[in-house]
Amino acid sequence: MSWNRRHLITLEELSLAELEQIHNVAAAFKKVLGRSVKKIPALRGKTIVNLFLEPSTRTRMAFDMAAKRLSADVISFDAASSSTTKGETLRDTAENIAALGADMIVIRHNCAGSPLYLSRILNIPVINAGDGSHEHPTQGLLDTFTMKERLGSLRGRRVVILGDILFSRVARSNIHALVKFGADVTLCGPSTLVPESLRSLGVNVSHDLRSALADAEVVMLLRIQHERQTASMFPSLGEYTSMFGLNRTRAGWLHPNAIIMHPGPINRGVEIDSDLADGDRSVILDQVTNGIAVRMACLYLCAGGRPESVTPAN
Ligand code: CP
């Protein structure tokens, strides 16, 4: 199957076959990253601009490294010293970046829909690196890639996403991917952050932590996103932690081989205790590492790379 998309905006719009294709290409690139020479010439001569208008550590650095491993030139846009501080619009900023010769833009923005908007204006590929509370497609791809590495097929696997679902683009992208992979997904947290309406996405909703975690094979913690909340969704952080924080006792309710995930940044002692974040069952740093190969796959495919050139024919 060939890859026919120029942009990567959401996981909602991708088919199961497309998700699997990205994972297959990422698996091939992960082998490249294990070699002594970790670089291939696939995007030599191309320039990728990382247009991050919201803070990031993992995503921006992983996109930087992914582009460099593919031999592209990379420019990281510095929002604080840019003309956006003088009121320049997103459209003008992006059109100027394209006029300077960028071959691809990776955008993070606090406004949902910004990547889709740019993809309709520009003649170059646009990749969504997180747009408001909407989607974070490469995070959903790297998370499901990491789960498949540990568990094999995700069909019927019990996955719990715990915490601030309402404001989480990570949750939304993971839900779209996990449902297509056939996982049995439960969203858990206070009813203010995990509304019943989310069942329409094909998942279970629970406000009872013990029954949600019972025998789950994956638990993914999410950070409380104060920056996106306009009202108080629970009385205090201490009360959130006492009811929904993952500690050693509660981790004991999970399946014995369960893995613990978190997209970062972690609020240690709030949504997860440090000994679990750093413990044997944690795959949090594997998620970060896998983010490079997964983003290499996304850049490569959206730049017109042929999947069969890096993966064995099926
Ligand atoms: N997971 C994630 O998006 O982290 P950053 O905000 O550091 O990129």
Side-chain angles (χ1 to χ4, degrees):
M1 182 189 148
S2 60
W3 179 265
N4 294 317
R5 291 183 188 273
R6 291 180 74 216
H7 311 290
L8 177 61
I9 307 298
T10 70
L11 295 192
E12 184 176 15
E13 66 192 339
L14 297 196
S15 66
L16 174 60
E18 287 173 311
L19 295 172
E20 285 174 338
Q21 196 164 43
I22 296 172
H23 280 175
N24 290 340
V25 173
F29 283 142
K30 188 162 177 179
K31 287 189 186 143
V32 172
L33 296 175
R35 301 195 312 221
S36 55
V37 178
K38 302 178 176 62
K39 204 164 178 168
I40 57 170
L43 296 189
R44 189 159 55 203
K46 303 280 186 197
T47 300
I48 297 172
V49 173
N50 287 330
L51 177 56
F52 278 58
L53 292 146
E54 218 191 35
S56 169
T57 297
R58 282 148 290 271
T59 310
R60 177 156 51 182
M61 290 195 68
F63 268 114
D64 260 23
M65 293 191 76
K68 285 173 180 158
R69 297 297 187 226
L70 293 167
S71 303
D73 296 316
V74 195
I75 297 174
S76 272
F77 177 86
D78 179 12
S81 63
S82 75
S83 290
T84 57
T85 59
K86 303 176 200 164
E88 188 166 39
T89 64
L90 176 62
R91 180 181 188 138
D92 283 338
T93 301
E95 285 185 334
N96 277 273
I97 290 169
L100 286 165
D103 295 294
M104 191 179 293
I105 287 184
V106 178
I107 175 172
R108 169 170 287 194
H109 202 288
N110 63 7
C111 181
S114 302
L116 178 64
Y117 172 62
L118 289 193
S119 73
R120 290 177 173 167
I121 293 168
L122 303 176
N123 288 322
I124 56 174
V126 175
I127 294 187
N128 180 4
D131 61 329
S133 299
H134 177 222
E135 278 225 36
H136 192 345
T138 57
Q139 184 72 43
L141 287 162
L142 73 89
D143 290 338
T144 46
F145 183 89
T146 305
M147 289 180 216
K148 284 163 74 180
E149 266 189 341
R150 292 296 180 123
L151 305 174
S153 168
L154 299 184
R155 186 151 298 281
R157 299 288 192 177
R158 292 208 56 231
V159 178
V160 175
I161 306 179
L162 172 58
D164 181 354
I165 314 287
L166 187 61
F167 295 95
S168 174
R169 56 194 177 206
V170 173
R172 233 166 293 283
S173 288
N174 266 285
I175 291 166
H176 289 306
L178 285 164
V179 168
K180 285 169 192 158
F181 283 123
D184 176 5
V185 182
T186 299
L187 311 180
C188 184
S191 57
T192 45
L193 294 175
V194 189
E196 292 291 324
S197 57
L198 290 169
R199 288 185 197 275
S200 64
L201 298 175
V203 297
N204 311 303
V205 167
S206 171
H207 310 299
D208 178 57
L209 186 59
R210 184 162 196 152
S211 66
L213 292 185
D215 229 22
E217 293 163 281
V218 178
V219 59
M220 178 184 298
L221 289 313
L222 296 177
R223 185 175 67 86
I224 302 297
Q225 304 206 33
H226 297 289
E227 70 273 27
R228 299 193 208 287
Q229 295 176 7
T230 51
S232 186
M233 310 306 270
F234 43 83
S236 69
L237 272 185
E239 277 150 327
Y240 176 85
T241 303
S242 71
M243 293 190 72
F244 292 103
L246 191 68
N247 56 31
R248 190 152 289 279
T249 304
R250 292 167 176 173
W253 302 336
L254 294 162
H255 187 283
N257 299 328
I259 56 172
I260 295 172
M261 306 183 74
H262 195 307
I266 299 173
N267 288 316
R268 290 172 180 267
V270 178
E271 66 267 8
I272 183 169
D273 279 358
S274 265
D275 60 334
L276 294 173
D278 303 328
D280 293 346
R281 298 160 96 182
S282 169
V283 297
I284 294 170
L285 292 179
D286 297 310
Q287 292 171 255
V288 177
T289 303
N290 284 335
I292 303 171
V294 164
R295 290 176 174 117
M296 285 172 77
C298 297
L299 295 173
Y300 174 79
L301 291 170
C302 290
R306 291 154 56 95
E308 59 274 20
S309 302
V310 287
T311 56
N314 293 316

